Amino acid sequence: MERPIAYDKLAREDRWVRMRAREVAELKIAQGFPPFADLSSPDSIRERVHGILVGEIQAMEGAGRTVCDFPDAPWEFTMDMARQVWDESRHVEIYLRLLEHLGGYPGEFPETTILWRCACAEDAAARVAGVNRGLEGLACDVFNQLVHIARKIGDPILERAVEFVLADEITHVRMGSKWLTKLTEGDPDRRRKAIDFQENIDERFNLGGVRRDGDHEAVSISIATDVRRMAGFTEEEIERLVKTTQRSQVY
Amino acid sequence: MAHPLAGHFSVDHSARLMRNYRYAVERTLRALGGWIALTPELSAKLLMGRHVWDLAQLADAFGARLPELRAHAQVSEPANERVVAFMDAVEEPEAPGQTVERLVGVYRVLKPHLLASYHDHLIRANPVYEPPTRRLLLRCLGDERRHIAAGTTILGHLCATPALAERALAWQRRLEGLFAAAGGVTGEGLPPAPVDTAQAPIETSDDAREFVRLEKPLASWPMPEDLRAALEAFGGSLAVPNVGALARWLAPGVSLDPAREVLTAAALTSHRLVAFARLGHQRLVKWRLAGPDAAVTVLARWAPGPDGWRVAMLDVGRIEALRPALPRR
Ligand SMILES: [Fe+2]
Ligand SMILES: [Fe+2]
């Protein structure tokens, strides 16, 4: 089996339209829309949920590749990643149903693959740092806010389902922290590189100031400081993230 | 009647069987994990995603049983080189068009055999001093039955044409030949399918049927009537291709030249709208054009304007040769 696979091998049914994230953002801005769906209308909530669905598919694919690509990693690592594949596959099902609940359909919005690209790092430590701490950290922010918005608009279906997904994501972040430490034990250089990779991803997913510290209703993506603390991010890391969001570039 | 303490397996033999099972299960779970990204169909992705974790737990349980049998924990071992060759063959189909082969190898060849092997082991393991092994095998039997039923449902959904069903059968026969030559996962031969599963109706898994339902595309996409009419006219002109009719829909500055070259290079006789996505007020529309031996994908971004809907961007993919993705062996 080819290990690891090239970015462009990601297989999709015809009904999906794949586009570069930058192009999607530019075309939306040109039409007077925010680059990233805010949660101000039913349409934008559905678009956000569609974006999350695509992210969950890629998270399932990424975790699956990690199970496949590192047969020589510790067995416990494979176990954690296999568990994550299962969780992500249930998240895909949950978001497919939520999309149905919101009147949408798979393929309703273009798919971007920046998430998947992050899941293609060649080193296992970089992959867990980038995916489990960087991207799943982002998922914590997004889901925490979605739970809040669902509660506010009175959608208990959305609220309850996403709350359970959020609980899983917190577990995935913890796994990431555990394996970042274990895989790089006695190898500070490898650890540094993995953390750099994660910080790079954090920066990219600040989405040019879209993610910020602030009230759920005031900012497009609010940093879930409490949830992040629960997931094992240190105060220093949270502070650093908040700071970088104040000076981040458009992706 | 045999003495209740009569036994078929030695401790060492039992440990070797655990390592043999673990080898097949570990390789399968890694293959399923790796295939999710390489498989286009959502129903098959979900099936694989569900089973990776089940199999990891089984591999873990085999591995944890090993030290109880005076062996090293969490070790996998193929029974012989031919088992390795068989697993290599199972892993071989990686192309997007080979989902059927991927599922056949795991759900029609390997898993039914594992089910039979576990069952054969279970009925021969001593009930007085091998309950830990027997309990483990019972759990495996339950999981494998569930997996086979789910895999059968998805394969039934994917083998939509007689040609596909035939391809699936050809691949199954090939792998079965390799597996028989290896003597199965333990190298000790292929035990018969357990009677209870052969006679009982296969338990249908609601989950797998849900995967199929969730995969079903919409019957028709919601869109304004004027856009629907425009897409029908444009789509109809694509396969012909009628360059003059196509040009009428282009926004100023959009050229048909790159598309013209591709569309006229192959005989394309049919067109099908396959994707319809929103991008702000604009719409992304994808067609699949196909002829007897080639296909091509056309993506257009449609924007509303004072003169109605117009194509603001046109992208024509590479021509794909249409031939069945047959396995190499
Ligand atoms: Fe997830
Ligand atoms: Fe996750």
Side-chain angles (χ1 to χ4, degrees):
Chain A
M1 220 174 181
E2 192 189 334
R3 291 179 166 109
I5 56 168
Y7 300 135
D8 60 358
K9 285 272 183 86
L10 194 60
R12 283 290 176 275
E13 295 153 324
D14 278 338
R15 62 177 146 169
W16 302 92
V17 175
R18 192 177 294 171
M19 274 176 85
R20 298 199 51 179
R22 185 192 301 269
E23 199 187 350
V24 171
E26 284 168 0
L27 285 165
K28 287 174 73 181
I29 291 168
Q31 297 175 64
F33 285 92
F36 195 76
D38 53 22
L39 298 165
S40 59
S41 65
D43 266 5
S44 67
I45 292 176
R46 202 169 69 248
E47 184 174 351
R48 175 74 67 93
V49 164
H50 190 280
I52 296 171
L53 164 67
V54 168
E56 296 289 6
I57 295 175
Q58 292 177 20
M60 168 175 75
E61 294 164 327
R65 283 313 306 184
T66 301
V67 167
C68 175
D69 290 344
F70 305 107
D72 300 325
W75 174 245
E76 285 304 322
F77 175 73
T78 296
M79 286 296 284
D80 276 352
M81 294 299 120
R83 167 63 199 229
Q84 194 180 329
V85 174
W86 187 48
D87 292 346
E88 305 300 3
S89 81
R90 287 182 294 100
H91 298 172
V92 171
E93 185 186 340
I94 291 165
Y95 278 103
L96 279 168
R97 289 170 188 274
L98 283 177
L99 194 60
E100 217 170 42
H101 165 69
L102 297 171
Y105 60 89
E108 189 178 1
F109 301 93
E111 172 182 18
T112 64
T113 50
I114 30 180
L115 251 95
W116 164 251
R117 282 171 176 266
C118 298
C120 290
E122 284 194 21
D123 180 39
R127 225 183 262 189
V128 288
V131 174
N132 288 64
R133 306 190 88 239
L135 296 178
E136 309 264 0
L138 171 73
C140 288
D141 297 335
V142 170
F143 296 170
N144 186 52
Q145 185 175 21
L146 195 52
V147 170
H148 174 88
I149 299 287
R151 194 174 299 141
K152 196 189 142 218
I153 62 173
D155 187 337
I157 303 283
L158 185 64
E159 181 190 340
R160 187 54 56 84
V162 176
E163 205 188 352
F164 269 93
V165 178
L166 175 59
D168 286 341
E169 305 301 1
I170 292 173
T171 309
H172 299 168
V173 175
R174 287 191 190 129
M175 283 178 188
S177 305
K178 174 174 106 185
W179 287 108
L180 171 64
T181 304
K182 285 200 174 183
L183 293 173
T184 60
E185 237 158 39
D187 192 343
D189 192 45
R190 188 179 178 197
R191 184 179 169 83
R192 186 66 252 158
K193 277 187 191 145
I195 290 174
D196 283 350
F197 183 67
Q198 181 202 326
E199 288 181 353
N200 201 299
I201 286 173
D202 282 342
E203 186 103 6
R204 191 188 291 204
F205 281 92
N206 288 335
L207 302 165
V210 170
R211 172 163 69 179
R212 274 186 292 153
D213 190 22
D215 189 81
H216 293 312
E217 284 149 64
V219 300
S220 273
I221 300 177
S222 52
I223 297 175
T225 45
D226 288 350
V227 170
R228 280 178 173 269
R229 234 168 253 134
M230 203 184 298
F233 284 103
T234 62
E235 291 301 326
E236 204 186 339
E237 284 177 311
I238 294 169
E239 212 169 281
R240 199 198 62 81
L241 180 68
V242 170
K243 266 195 195 134
T244 60
T245 59
Q246 291 155 358
R247 56 168 172 79
S248 79
Q249 300 293 306
V250 173
Y251 48 97
Chain B
M1 217 169 91
H3 192 283
L5 293 180
H8 183 87
F9 302 103
S10 68
V11 168
D12 284 351
H13 188 177
S14 188
R16 182 177 68 74
L17 291 175
M18 295 293 131
R19 288 193 294 271
N20 292 166
Y21 301 148
R22 191 179 188 280
Y23 175 80
V25 171
E26 185 188 350
R27 278 201 66 172
T28 308
L29 82 94
R30 293 197 196 277
L32 288 177
W35 283 340
I36 299 172
L38 301 172
T39 297
E41 300 86 354
L42 205 50
S43 58
K45 280 182 193 286
L46 290 172
L47 176 84
M48 294 169 179
R50 292 299 210 279
H51 294 174
V52 165
W53 173 235
D54 286 347
L55 292 180
Q57 289 174 96
L58 295 186
D60 191 59
F62 288 133
R65 177 76 181 122
L66 282 166
E68 300 164 2
L69 298 167
R70 295 192 317 235
H72 290 294
Q74 303 301 351
V75 173
S76 295
E77 181 193 19
N80 56 53
E81 277 312 303
R82 287 177 166 186
V83 172
V84 179
F86 165 76
M87 288 305 303
D88 287 346
V90 168
E91 277 187 5
E92 198 181 280
E94 291 197 355
Q98 290 179 305
T99 304
V100 162
E101 279 83 359
R102 286 189 278 278
L103 297 186
V104 161
V106 172
Y107 293 92
R108 273 208 212 153
V109 182
L110 179 63
K111 281 179 174 288
H113 165 75
L114 283 175
L115 181 77
S117 297
Y118 296 151
H119 183 263
D120 183 62
H121 189 163
L122 174 70
I123 55 175
R124 290 194 286 157
N126 184 280
V128 181
Y129 47 76
E130 290 182 89
T133 296
R134 288 171 62 104
R135 282 200 179 189
L136 172 50
L137 291 169
L138 272 172
R139 174 179 164 197
C140 295
L141 284 173
D143 276 6
E144 293 302 354
R145 281 202 183 97
R146 196 163 45 79
H147 288 190
I148 293 165
T152 303
T153 301
I154 303 294
L155 266 169
H157 161 66
L158 293 181
C159 288
T161 64
L164 273 168
E166 205 174 296
R167 232 178 72 195
L169 202 61
W171 184 237
Q172 181 181 341
R173 296 280 173 257
R174 193 160 295 183
L175 289 179
E176 281 171 346
L178 287 172
F179 213 16
V185 70
T186 62
E188 295 172 1
L190 305 177
V195 176
D196 58 349
T197 52
Q199 287 180 347
I202 289 186
E203 173 193 328
T204 50
S205 160
D206 288 338
D207 270 358
R209 283 185 292 181
E210 261 309 286
F211 299 164
V212 172
R213 187 189 72 77
L214 288 166
E215 183 187 287
K216 285 258 161 72
L218 292 182
S220 85
W221 286 276
M223 65 177 85
E225 276 317 306
D226 56 338
L227 178 59
R228 192 179 298 278
L231 296 186
E232 267 165 29
F234 192 83
S237 305
L238 272 173
V240 181
N242 183 340
V243 174
L246 290 174
R248 154 182 181 343
W249 296 103
L250 303 184
V254 179
S255 166
L256 203 59
D257 291 345
R260 189 200 319 254
E261 209 173 290
V262 178
L263 294 176
T264 49
L268 303 165
T269 48
S270 68
H271 71 284
R272 194 162 53 91
L273 203 158
V274 291
F276 183 77
R278 301 154 59 110
L279 184 61
H281 299 302
Q282 305 185 349
R283 295 294 180 269
L284 299 159
V285 184
K286 200 201 279 183
W287 283 274
R288 181 105 174 134
L289 311 179
D293 26 53
V296 73
T297 297
V298 175
L299 178 66
R301 177 159 52 80
W302 289 74
D307 306 322
W309 291 90
R310 287 293 179 272
V311 175
M313 184 279 305
L314 186 64
D315 184 35
V316 179
R318 269 181 305 141
I319 294 180
E320 306 156 34
L322 282 188
R323 50 183 157 67
L326 280 175
R328 270 185 279 140
R329 263 169 237 232

